[in-house]
């Protein structure tokens, strides 16, 4: 659905510190086991059955080098081994790794891996990890750029024996574990033959052409339809504790009402991203449980920030962007679109990350008069129809609105209303997510065609990923702004290796200052993550989705 | 007009119309201004080799006329091109949706014909009475309701009783169902979209059947039959209905082509994965080959339906086949 | 000439109409069906015209919480953006009716012209034009409208033009048939003998006779056009800067009105559209029936399905 990677929802953000604190001296992690199942307070665990999940989001691709929706990443976490994952208390525990050690200088990390098999019987060894890592690094500026940030500063990977993986870094890195938590390990024997010239075949491969998709997680994909239902079936070769259910069905709905009708009618067991205006109705239903947790999802407004763009160059002017921000009524968006389950923000780093968010950066108030004043000052006079003229043409623009973003229609209309007051006319260009992303990168990831768009980011508790999306390297990768600032990139590299927490914080704050000044984004609101499930089910962990395999292995029906 | 003459002429006309449809299809998607022609941009995550091959195959470097020729040749082989999104043949993407739409539309059709004829005949027979007014009113009302809105109303009415979207329960295979249960599941999902379509069509048919019957009932031979002492229902059935059948049958055949196209709205409301929904989705993903293929199929279905109607008419109308 | 049943409008010689518009109006007044229909349509036209003054609130004006139920202050409640539904309905009437009438006008002008020329001149002109009409008839309407909106943009004018261009065919055939029969009338022959030019004959003799039929057909086309607009809007391809009834139905569908049980956001726009279509249909059909009591089935202009007359009159 939205272009985020993983959701990071911390109920008790305190424990975050464990993840990013300390440099090389981070724990010799000893795993507490991969996702122990909870004991129920009341009711007994019923084994078996299918967990039917409904969403308006979409798994846009089963190819990790192509997919950008969070739903896809949720699936990858389930399908593939990860070295480590978050425990319910947000501490580190091993997924595939049983334990790990760090060298004195913090440069060498050794992971002891559980023995296992891929779902097709091929042995699961450290070789797979080595191959995946090396491939990602080799083509980091090309086909594998989406996964490259997670292996930043990795120098080598090696497998001294099948159950041991050694990763060496070129410099001590402060956030190794949060980064490696996103390092999907792919089956070498499946992917290597697909590489093609210079790895270009990697992005062209559709894993669903070879069902069931070979994986090593608790479930494997046996049926795929991104716009329909994807079925994940229990994988007997999984190295961790077996899930309670036999299968998970992940069903996409085009229409929210259809989703909720199906849910209330008993056709679904769990719903992601409940539309805010339906929360009251669901809460009133005894058979359903509604859960609201904080998240890092920030919906935003995007400017094409590529200085090479040929048309509408007035939009590159920072003061124009500032004026536009004055015309956006964030409070109305929070109320109308999100039913109050959202709050205005001005940085890409979410409040829940704690001290990583720069508190001095505040959203501009809704003040169209001020916006008008700025545009008047810039000399963009209004024509007879009330629309301003800039550089000899009317200020009329198209905004790309991806249909998969929740509430985008209404959000756009509120923005449109505000811009009307400025004398700027905007129309929506509604495209599905993949097409929208391509339209933003057009032509061919040079970011020359589009003017503005609207989307969202879901970051992690660790800000590294979300700060990386505006680096120059991410053209053709995560970038949806065409922004490229060498000074910013320098700081990004610095924070990646800053071992001292305080120093790193300073750098991260400075980066946010730069973003504020240049305004490639106007960040709108941070939204809560609302889910719902039937009351005869238990074991859901909405805050751990895509951070652990527990959200899919723990759910079970109760007596 | 001689019979053979007529058939020949209609066949010739149908063939020409097919070519017109093909040409229109080409012009709309490949030659019209707008970004439809930049088909190359749509090739997602392709390797450069694939892209070059596609370019050469579509002949995008050649003149429009040459492209048209290539297009026709491809069609002759049943090649509708490759989807931008999935890079699979367009026909593969369209085949299942077509198979999904046909029974749904057929069911709706059946409903509308049966009830349309029933109500139309009764209303005409009992002209001026309550039955006539009731029938007329119901027909007019359903005729006037917007299809998608009627679908929403039915959705609300039957929510909880019947499934509100999709073509089948995606998880049914886990319950190890019998064939009958699978069929039942499909039917459950088909009822609401079919009913919506059927109700809207019913309005139309009832109106037309009524008019047609009224006309026929006023003819002389009906009077003669009455004078001969035939019972009312016998008259209605044997004489009037038979003669009203001709325009009714032709109408049914004619609207068949359009109904498939009109099913887009119903499939959108109920997320029913038929050709209408595929067309709709192809628009938002700018998947022009699929859109072009779907449009072509819809157009051709209309041509075929018209041709069948012509032949049927010829068969049934005593005056022409003389 | 075909020997089959003709798309007959002229089987029964109708008296020569003077003051055709007045005659049309008389027909409407005489049939209760038509009168009711006319009243309905006029009612909505009045609402559309007076909306700028009578509508209590604006189209984007948030006046309360999301999906507030109807109250004394807001008789039709609020939609999912907190905007007054009654105002939305009134403003929406403007857009829907403008599209309906404008598109019907386009269809009437194109169809009427083609029908007149085709019927009057006959011969090759007739054949060519009617062939063209037949080809237009095979294009599936809603898909074409969607594709056109996707390729050429979602503006109001595009929509009006597309609808008009798709639906002119029935008008053309109807007009043509009546013109053919009129052509043989005495007064026309007399005018020709006297040396009157084509223009004069067409405008002074033929057009007035055909006017009621044109009016009837246009009214029916309005109904079709309004429905077509709701279809385009529902599929997300309507003009994004305007709110029509069709857009209101789409809003209800996309913004969970059903789950929230907000019937006031769903029911009114559908009923309004249905009433206008009903009204237009009643008026149009009443006029057609009166002008030609022996109208065959092929004449009923069916919404969204364009009928060909039931045999080929184009065989000549």
């Amino acid at each position: 659905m939205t272009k985020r990677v993983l959701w990071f929802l911390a109920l008790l953000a305190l424990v975050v510190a464990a993840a990013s604190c300390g440099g090389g001296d981070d724990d010799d992690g000893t795993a507490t086991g991969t996702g122990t199942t909870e004991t129920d307070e009341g009711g007994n665990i019923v084994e078996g059955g299918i967990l039917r999940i409904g969403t308006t989001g979409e798994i846009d691709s089963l190819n990790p080098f192509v997919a950008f929706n969070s739903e896809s990443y949720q699936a990858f976490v389930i399908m593939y081994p990860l070295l480590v994952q978050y425990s319910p208390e947000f501490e580190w525990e091993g997924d595939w790794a049983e334990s790990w050690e760090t060298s004195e200088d913090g440069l060498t990390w050794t992971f002891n891996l559980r023995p296992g098999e891929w779902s097709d019987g091929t042995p699961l060894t450290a070789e797979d990890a080595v191959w995946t890592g090396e491939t990602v690094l080799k083509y980091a500026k090309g086909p594998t750029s989406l996964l490259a940030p997670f292996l930043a500063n990795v120098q080598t990977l090696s497998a001294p024996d099948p159950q041991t993986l050694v990763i060496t870094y070129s410099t001590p890195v402060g956030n190794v574990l949060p980064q490696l938590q996103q390092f999907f390990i792919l089956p070498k024997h499946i992917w290597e033959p697909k590489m093609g010239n210079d790895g270009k075949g990697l992005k062209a491969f559709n894993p669903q052409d070879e069902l069931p998709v070979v994986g090593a997680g608790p479930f494997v994909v046996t049926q795929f339809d991104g716009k329909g239902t994807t079925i994940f079936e229990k994988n007997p070769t999984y190295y961790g504790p077996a899930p309670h259910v036999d299968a998970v069905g992940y069903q996409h709905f085009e229409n929210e009402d259809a989703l909720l009708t199906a849910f209330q009618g008993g056709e679904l067991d769990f719903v992601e991203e409940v539309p805010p205006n339906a929360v009251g109705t669901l809460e009133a239903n005894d058979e359903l449980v509604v859960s609201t947790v904080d998240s890092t999802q920030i919906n935003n407004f995007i400017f094409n920030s590529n200085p090479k763009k040929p048309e509408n160059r007035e939009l590159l002017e920072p003061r124009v962007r500032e004026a536009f921000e004055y015309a956006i009524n964030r409070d109305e968006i929070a109320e109308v679109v999100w039913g109050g389950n959202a709050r205005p923000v001005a940085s890409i780093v979410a409040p829940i990350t704690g001290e990583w968010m720069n508190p001095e950066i505040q959203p501009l108030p809704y003040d169209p008069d001020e916006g008008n004043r700025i545009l008047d000052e810039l000399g963009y006079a209004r024509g007879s129809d009330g629309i301003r003229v800039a550089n000899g043409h009317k200020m009329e623009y198209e905004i790309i609105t991806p249909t998969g973003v929740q509430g985008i229609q209404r959000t756009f209309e509120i923005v449109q209303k505000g811009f009307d007051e400025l004398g700027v006319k905007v129309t929506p260009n509604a495209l599905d997510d993949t097409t929208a992303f391509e339209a933003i990168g057009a032509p061919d990831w040079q970011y020359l065609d589009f003017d503005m768009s609207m989307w969202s980011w879901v970051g992690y508790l660790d800000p590294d990923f979300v700060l990386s999306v505006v680096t120059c390297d991410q053209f053709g990768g995560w970038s949806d702004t065409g922004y490229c600032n060498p000074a910013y990139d320098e700081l990004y590299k610095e924070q990646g290796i800053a071992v001292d927490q305080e120093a790193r914080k300073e750098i991260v704050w400075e980066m946010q200052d730069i973003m504020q000044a240049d305004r490639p984004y106007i960040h709108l609101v941070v939204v809560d993550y609302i889910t719902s499930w039937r009351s005869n089910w238990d074991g859901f962990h909405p805050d751990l989705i895509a951070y652990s395999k527990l959200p899919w292995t723990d759910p079970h029906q109760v007596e | 007009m001689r019979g053979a003459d007529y058939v020949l002429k209609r066949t010739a006309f149908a063939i020409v119309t097919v070519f017109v449809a093909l040409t229109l299809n080409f012009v709309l998607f490949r030659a019209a201004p707008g970004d439809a022609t930049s088909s190359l941009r749509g090739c997602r995550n392709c390797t450069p080799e694939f892209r070059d091959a596609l370019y050469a195959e579509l002949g995008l470097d050649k003149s429009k006329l040459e492209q048209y020729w290539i297009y026709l040749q491809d069609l002759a082989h049943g090649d509708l091109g490759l989807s931008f999104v999935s890079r699979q043949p367009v026909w593969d993407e369209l085949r299942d949706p077509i198979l999904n739409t046909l029974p749904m539309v057929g069911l709706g059709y059946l409903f509308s014909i049966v009830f349309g004829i029933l109500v139309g005949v009764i209303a005409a027979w009992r002209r001026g009475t309550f039955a006539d007014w009731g029938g007329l009113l119901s027909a007019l009302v359903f005729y006037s309701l917007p299809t998608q809105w009627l679908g929403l109303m039915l959705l609300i009415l039957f929510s909880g009783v019947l499934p509100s979207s999709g073509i089948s329960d995606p998880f049914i295979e886990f319950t190890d169902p019998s064939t009958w249960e699978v069929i039942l599941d499909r039917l459950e999902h088909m009822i609401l979209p079919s009913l919506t379509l059927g109700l809207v069509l019913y309005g139309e048919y009832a109106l037309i059947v009524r008019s047609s019957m009224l006309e026929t009932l006023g003819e002389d031979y009906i009077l003669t039959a009455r004078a001969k002492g035939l019972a009312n229902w016998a008259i209605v059935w044997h004489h009037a209905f038979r003669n009203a059948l001709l325009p009714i049958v032709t109408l049914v055949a004619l609207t068949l082509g359009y109904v498939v196209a009109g099913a887009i709205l119903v499939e959108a409301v109920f997320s029913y994965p038929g050709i209408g929904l595929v067309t709709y989705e192809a628009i938002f993903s700018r998947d022009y080959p699929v859109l072009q293929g779907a449009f072509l199929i819809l157009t051709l279905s209309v041509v075929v339906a018209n041709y069948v109607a012509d032949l049927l008419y010829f068969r049934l109308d005593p005056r022409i086949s003389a | 000439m075909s020997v089959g049943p003709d798309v007959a409008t002229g089987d029964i010689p109708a008296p020569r109409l003077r003051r055709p518009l007045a005659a049309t109006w008389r027909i409407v007044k005489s049939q209760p069906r038509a009168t009711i229909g006319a009243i309905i349509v006029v009612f909505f036209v009045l609402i559309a015209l007076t909306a700028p003054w009578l509508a209590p609130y604006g189209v984007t004006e948030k006046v309360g919480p999301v999906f507030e139920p109807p109250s004394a202050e807001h008789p039709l409640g609020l939609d999912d953006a907190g905007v007054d539904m009654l105002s939305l309905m009134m403003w929406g009437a403007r857009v829907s009716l403008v599209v309906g009438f404008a598109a019907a006008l386009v269809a009437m002008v194109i169809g009427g012209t083609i029908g007149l020329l085709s019927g009057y001149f006959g011969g090759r002109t007739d054949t060519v034009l009617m062939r063209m009409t037949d080809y237009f008839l095979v294009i599936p309407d809603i898909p074409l409208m969607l594709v056109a909106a996707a390729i050429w943009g979602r503006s109001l004018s595009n929509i009006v033009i597309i609808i008009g261009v798709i639906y002119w065919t029935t008008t053309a055939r109807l007009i043509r048939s009546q013109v053919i029969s009129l052509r043989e009338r005495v007064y026309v022959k007399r005018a020709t003998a006297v040396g009157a030019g084509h223009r004069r004959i067409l405008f002074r003799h033929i057009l007035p006779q055909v006017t009621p039929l044109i009016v009837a057909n246009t009214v029916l086309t309005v109904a079709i056009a309004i429905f077509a607009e709701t279809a385009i809007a529902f599929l997300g391809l309507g003009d994004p800067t305007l709110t029509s009834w069709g857009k209101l139905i789409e809003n209800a569908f996309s913004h969970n009105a059903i789950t929230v049980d907000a019937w006031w956001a769903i029911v009114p726009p559908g009923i309004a559209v249905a009433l206008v279509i009903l009204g237009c249909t009643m008026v149009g059909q009443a006029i057609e029936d009166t002008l030609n009591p022996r109208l065959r089935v092929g004449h009923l202009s069916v919404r969204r399905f364009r009928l060909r007359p039931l045999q080929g009159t184009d065989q000549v």
Side-chain angles (χ1 to χ4, degrees):
Chain A
M1 193 164 150
T2 61
K3 196 161 54 80
R4 41 194 197 263
V5 177
L6 297 172
W7 292 316
F8 212 113
L9 313 164
L11 280 172
L12 311 164
L14 306 172
V15 199
V16 169
S20 41
C21 83
D25 68 331
D26 202 347
D27 333 79
D28 289 13
T30 44
T32 51
T34 44
T36 48
T37 55
E38 294 174 329
T39 51
D40 283 355
E41 296 108 8
N44 302 314
I45 297 180
V46 174
E47 297 287 331
I50 318 172
L51 172 61
R52 300 165 302 176
I53 302 180
T55 177
T56 49
E58 204 185 305
I59 299 180
D60 64 303
S61 171
L62 282 182
N63 183 330
F65 300 111
V66 168
F68 53 77
N69 273 349
S70 56
E71 290 79 13
S72 311
Y73 276 73
Q74 194 187 145
F76 297 148
V77 166
I78 300 301
M79 289 156 67
Y80 297 117
L82 293 169
L83 291 174
V84 292
Q85 65 183 15
Y86 282 91
S87 73
E89 298 76 30
F90 285 92
E91 296 186 353
W92 288 108
E93 63 181 22
D95 175 18
W96 186 26
E98 255 175 333
S99 59
W100 56 92
E101 295 111 31
T102 328
S103 65
E104 272 297 317
D105 56 6
L107 294 176
T108 310
W109 289 67
T110 310
F111 293 88
N112 305 308
L113 308 170
R114 297 174 209 275
E117 286 180 352
W118 292 100
S119 55
D120 63 352
T122 318
L124 168 66
T125 70
E127 250 316 296
D128 293 299
V130 169
W131 180 84
T132 310
E134 286 181 344
T135 308
V136 168
L137 287 172
K138 187 163 169 197
Y139 304 113
K141 300 231 190 284
T144 61
S145 59
L146 288 182
L147 297 180
F150 305 112
L151 294 181
N153 303 304
V154 167
Q155 198 165 48
T156 67
L157 300 105
S158 60
D161 67 70
Q163 291 342 112
T164 310
L165 173 68
V166 178
I167 305 182
T168 59
Y169 286 80
S170 53
T171 160
V173 169
N175 58 354
V176 167
L177 291 182
Q179 294 282 64
L180 291 180
Q181 194 264 318
Q182 287 317 303
F183 174 42
F184 307 117
I185 290 150
L186 302 176
K188 171 179 173 181
H189 64 288
I190 299 286
W191 284 85
E192 196 177 22
K194 307 281 188 298
M195 276 177 60
N197 289 340
D198 284 334
K200 292 208 179 75
L202 286 173
K203 287 180 90 151
F205 172 47
N206 287 333
Q208 63 266 30
D209 290 342
E210 297 171 8
L211 289 170
V213 178
V214 173
F219 296 95
V220 288
V221 174
T222 55
Q223 204 178 298
F224 174 70
D225 182 358
K227 289 206 167 358
T229 306
T230 304
I231 307 265
F232 297 76
E233 288 186 40
K234 196 154 151 174
N235 174 18
T237 71
Y238 174 51
Y239 49 76
H244 292 294
V245 297
D246 295 323
V248 176
Y250 197 77
Q251 191 175 358
H252 165 80
F253 287 80
E254 269 302 311
N255 177 260
E256 286 174 339
D257 258 333
L259 167 64
L260 294 168
T261 310
F263 182 46
Q264 293 189 289
E267 290 167 47
L268 297 169
D269 306 304
F270 181 75
V271 168
E272 297 181 339
E273 292 184 329
V274 173
N277 61 10
V279 167
T281 313
L282 293 186
E283 279 176 340
N285 186 335
D286 282 334
E287 292 177 25
L288 307 174
V289 173
V290 178
S291 143
T292 307
V293 294
D294 285 330
S295 88
T296 56
Q297 177 176 337
I298 296 181
N299 284 42
N300 57 36
F301 184 93
I302 306 171
F303 287 102
N304 183 350
S305 306
N306 187 349
K308 298 202 184 98
K309 72 181 266 221
E311 311 259 332
N312 296 326
R313 294 180 61 82
E314 62 277 6
L315 294 174
L316 293 169
E317 164 72 50
R319 299 215 66 205
V320 169
R321 299 180 176 187
E322 192 188 332
F324 281 17
E325 188 178 339
Y326 276 116
I328 298 184
N329 189 343
R330 288 179 171 90
D331 288 323
E332 190 173 336
I333 293 176
E335 195 198 324
V336 168
V337 179
W338 300 101
N341 294 303
R343 287 153 297 285
V345 286
S347 168
I348 203 172
V349 180
I352 206 163
T353 62
E355 56 182 6
W356 297 118
M357 179 184 90
N358 185 336
E360 285 150 32
I361 297 180
Q362 290 295 319
L364 293 178
Y366 173 59
D367 190 352
D369 292 332
E370 180 62 20
N372 273 317
R373 195 189 61 77
I374 297 178
L375 291 179
D376 287 334
E377 246 177 47
L378 287 169
Y380 301 143
R382 286 182 191 253
S384 53
D385 54 2
I387 302 182
R388 291 181 186 270
V389 175
N391 298 336
H393 59 256
K394 288 197 194 175
M395 290 184 87
E396 285 178 348
Y397 312 106
E398 216 178 53
I399 299 183
I400 296 174
T401 54
T403 55
V405 176
Q406 196 176 27
I408 190 126
Q409 215 181 8
R410 277 300 179 202
T411 312
F412 171 80
E413 284 165 19
I414 294 175
V415 167
Q416 184 184 43
K417 197 165 53 163
F419 281 15
D420 263 348
E421 305 214 28
L422 289 185
V424 173
K425 180 166 170 202
V426 289
T427 50
N429 182 7
L431 299 168
D432 75 11
D433 291 358
T434 315
T435 317
F437 196 29
E438 284 204 358
I440 287 177
D444 278 329
W445 306 113
Q446 294 170 57
Y447 303 91
L448 294 174
D449 287 354
F450 91 108
D451 286 321
M452 293 176 278
S453 175
M454 293 170 62
W455 219 314
S456 68
W457 280 110
V458 175
Y460 299 72
L461 283 182
D462 185 292
D464 191 299
F465 165 71
V466 91
L467 292 170
S468 76
V469 303
V470 285
T471 55
C472 303
D473 280 344
Q474 286 303 327
F475 269 45
W478 291 107
S479 176
D480 56 359
T481 55
Y483 180 79
C484 177
N485 180 344
Y488 179 89
D489 282 12
E490 262 312 302
L491 291 176
Y492 173 68
K493 289 194 179 64
E494 269 181 49
Q495 65 82 36
I497 57 176
V499 159
D500 175 45
Q501 174 119 322
E502 199 50 42
R504 186 175 175 221
K505 189 186 85 178
E506 291 299 315
I507 304 173
V508 168
W509 285 22
E510 198 186 331
M511 292 170 75
Q512 291 172 64
D513 283 328
I514 297 182
M515 293 253 282
Q516 164 85 320
D518 289 345
R519 251 192 210 88
Y521 295 106
I522 298 176
H523 300 286
L524 301 174
V525 288
V526 59
V527 304
D528 295 332
Y529 184 54
I530 310 175
T531 54
S532 180
W533 56 84
R534 314 203 75 80
S535 46
N536 65 327
W537 280 80
D538 199 7
F540 292 100
H541 303 265
D543 51 339
L544 279 178
I545 288 187
Y547 286 122
S548 158
K549 292 174 162 59
L550 198 63
W552 283 35
T553 58
D554 199 18
H556 50 271
Q557 295 179 65
V558 294
E559 293 281 69
Chain B
M1 179 175 313
R2 305 301 319 242
D5 242 9
Y6 178 80
V7 171
L8 216 58
K9 282 213 156 86
R10 297 320 295 167
T11 312
F13 175 74
I15 294 178
V16 174
T17 315
V18 165
F19 265 105
V20 170
L22 295 180
T23 311
L24 172 74
N25 200 260
F26 177 79
V27 166
L28 201 58
F29 286 95
R30 298 275 286 276
D35 66 356
T37 50
S38 51
S39 16
L40 219 40
R41 278 217 313 229
C43 181
R44 302 229 171 91
N45 300 315
C46 322
T47 57
E49 297 80 37
F50 185 85
R51 190 174 284 207
D52 289 337
L54 192 63
Y55 197 82
E57 197 185 302
L58 288 175
L60 286 172
D61 49 345
K62 306 201 175 70
S63 73
K64 288 291 178 216
L65 218 54
E66 284 174 282
Q67 287 184 43
Y68 179 56
W69 183 236
I70 296 175
Y71 163 77
L72 286 178
Q73 285 178 311
D74 283 342
L75 276 180
H77 292 115
D79 176 11
L80 289 169
L82 296 177
S83 156
F84 280 169
V85 173
S86 68
R87 272 173 276 125
Q88 300 304 313
V90 167
W91 175 243
D92 287 354
E93 307 266 311
L94 293 179
R95 183 191 42 219
D96 283 341
I98 292 176
L99 292 177
N100 290 340
T101 300
L102 288 177
M104 186 265 288
V105 160
L107 199 62
Y109 222 103
L110 203 63
F111 175 87
S112 63
I113 293 174
V114 165
F115 284 96
I117 291 181
L118 211 63
V119 170
V121 165
I122 294 178
W125 187 12
R126 299 257 181 246
R127 186 184 192 160
T129 66
F130 179 69
D132 183 16
W133 286 111
L136 195 58
L137 193 65
S138 79
L140 277 174
V141 163
F142 279 112
Y143 174 83
S144 310
L145 293 175
T147 318
Q148 69 274 29
W149 186 83
L150 182 60
L152 286 178
M153 291 294 113
L154 288 177
L155 193 75
I156 298 175
L157 204 64
F158 289 98
S159 83
V161 175
L162 285 171
S164 59
S165 69
I167 192 175
S168 64
D169 179 3
F171 309 108
I172 197 170
E173 62 205 42
F174 290 97
T175 58
D176 209 11
S178 62
T179 319
W180 170 241
E181 281 172 336
V182 171
I183 295 179
L184 196 64
D185 179 51
R186 285 285 173 122
L187 273 175
E188 273 187 338
H189 284 85
M190 214 186 282
I191 290 183
L192 286 183
S194 296
L195 189 62
T196 310
L197 216 57
L199 281 173
V200 164
L201 282 175
Y202 148 78
E204 204 157 319
Y205 287 154
L207 286 175
I208 289 174
V209 167
R210 180 180 169 277
S211 294
S212 190
M213 282 293 298
L214 281 177
E215 216 177 295
T216 324
L217 281 173
E219 306 252 336
D220 287 340
Y221 62 86
I222 298 293
L223 210 57
T224 318
R226 272 239 172 80
K228 281 197 195 152
L230 287 176
N232 249 347
W233 72 265
I235 296 173
V236 169
W237 175 247
H238 287 295
H239 294 268
F241 184 60
R242 289 275 180 74
N243 285 286
L245 195 60
L246 180 58
I248 294 170
V249 161
T250 331
L251 179 65
V252 165
L254 277 176
T255 52
L256 186 57
Y258 298 107
V259 162
V260 175
I264 288 185
L265 287 171
V266 163
E267 288 179 11
V269 170
F270 295 101
S271 299
Y272 191 83
I275 191 154
L277 197 62
V278 165
T279 309
Y280 171 58
E281 282 172 356
I283 290 180
F284 284 98
S285 48
R286 298 285 189 261
D287 194 349
Y288 289 113
V290 168
L291 197 54
Q292 184 173 11
F295 194 76
L296 185 64
I297 288 177
L298 291 174
T299 312
L300 288 180
S301 69
V302 171
V303 175
V304 167
N306 277 343
Y307 182 55
V308 167
D310 282 336
L311 294 182
L312 263 177
Y313 195 86
F314 163 68
R315 195 72 185 78
L316 292 172
D317 187 357
R319 284 170 282 195
I320 279 193
S321 42
Chain C
M1 285 302 263
S2 70
V3 297
D6 202 354
V7 179
T9 59
D11 283 58
I12 294 179
R16 189 168 171 191
L17 284 173
R18 302 192 185 276
R19 296 172 52 222
L21 287 175
T24 315
W25 177 236
R26 249 182 291 121
I27 296 174
V28 171
K29 273 202 300 193
S30 68
Q31 298 230 7
R33 205 163 35 125
T35 323
I36 299 176
I39 291 178
I40 296 177
V41 175
V42 165
F43 170 69
F44 281 105
V45 168
L46 283 176
I47 290 188
L49 289 174
T50 58
W53 297 280
L54 288 185
Y57 302 97
V59 161
T60 52
E61 203 184 321
K62 183 176 187 299
V63 292
V66 162
F67 278 140
E68 190 183 69
S71 60
E73 206 187 324
H74 303 282
L76 285 179
L78 304 180
D79 75 351
D80 68 287
V83 178
D84 179 45
M85 271 303 290
L86 184 63
S87 308
L88 282 172
M89 287 294 298
M90 295 178 76
W91 289 106
R94 284 170 81 81
V95 177
S96 294
L97 289 175
V98 159
V99 171
F101 283 101
L105 200 69
V106 171
M108 175 186 89
V109 165
I110 302 179
T113 312
I114 292 187
L116 271 172
L117 294 176
S118 186
Y120 183 72
F121 289 112
R124 208 172 280 159
T125 320
D126 182 21
T127 320
V128 166
L129 285 175
M130 281 303 105
R131 276 297 152 75
M132 217 172 70
T133 317
D134 281 336
Y135 297 144
F136 257 92
L137 272 165
V138 299
I139 306 170
D141 46 5
I142 293 186
L144 180 64
M145 290 192 289
L146 295 183
V147 168
I151 295 181
W152 289 306
R154 295 160 57 176
S155 71
L156 191 67
S157 41
N158 279 359
I159 292 172
V160 166
I161 293 175
I162 292 166
I163 296 178
V165 159
I166 294 180
Y167 288 117
W168 59 262
T169 47
T170 321
T171 313
R173 292 204 84 95
L174 264 176
I175 304 302
R176 171 186 173 276
S177 309
Q178 188 162 41
V179 169
I180 287 180
S181 72
L182 282 173
R183 211 169 54 188
E184 305 303 315
R185 294 287 170 78
V186 173
Y187 55 86
V188 173
K189 291 218 155 91
R190 209 183 285 152
T192 324
V194 165
H198 290 308
R199 273 252 297 262
R200 188 184 164 83
I201 298 179
L202 266 174
F203 280 106
R204 277 208 61 188
H205 298 284
I206 297 197
L207 187 55
Q209 303 303 312
V210 177
T211 302
L213 202 58
I214 293 185
V215 168
N217 205 259
T218 309
V219 169
L220 287 167
T221 313
V222 168
I224 304 176
I226 290 184
F227 171 73
E229 190 275 327
T230 65
I232 299 181
F234 187 75
L235 297 170
L237 291 167
D239 189 319
T241 56
L242 295 171
T243 309
S244 65
W245 286 336
K247 183 82 169 52
L248 292 179
I249 300 178
E250 196 263 334
N251 278 350
F253 180 59
S254 325
H255 297 132
N256 313 316
I258 296 181
T259 305
V260 178
D261 274 333
W263 57 266
W264 54 93
I266 313 174
V267 171
I271 300 225
V273 171
L275 282 175
V276 173
I277 292 181
L278 189 65
C280 287
T281 308
M282 293 202 299
V283 170
Q285 284 188 349
I287 300 179
E288 269 187 358
D289 286 348
T290 311
L291 289 177
N292 177 19
R294 300 200 62 196
L295 271 177
R296 293 304 174 115
V297 174
H299 283 190
L300 285 172
S301 308
V302 263
R303 179 175 54 128
R304 104 182 61 84
F305 307 127
R306 293 116 62 218
L307 285 187
R308 266 187 358 185
L310 294 174
Q311 94 311 346
T313 52
D314 53 0
Q315 299 317 306
V316 191

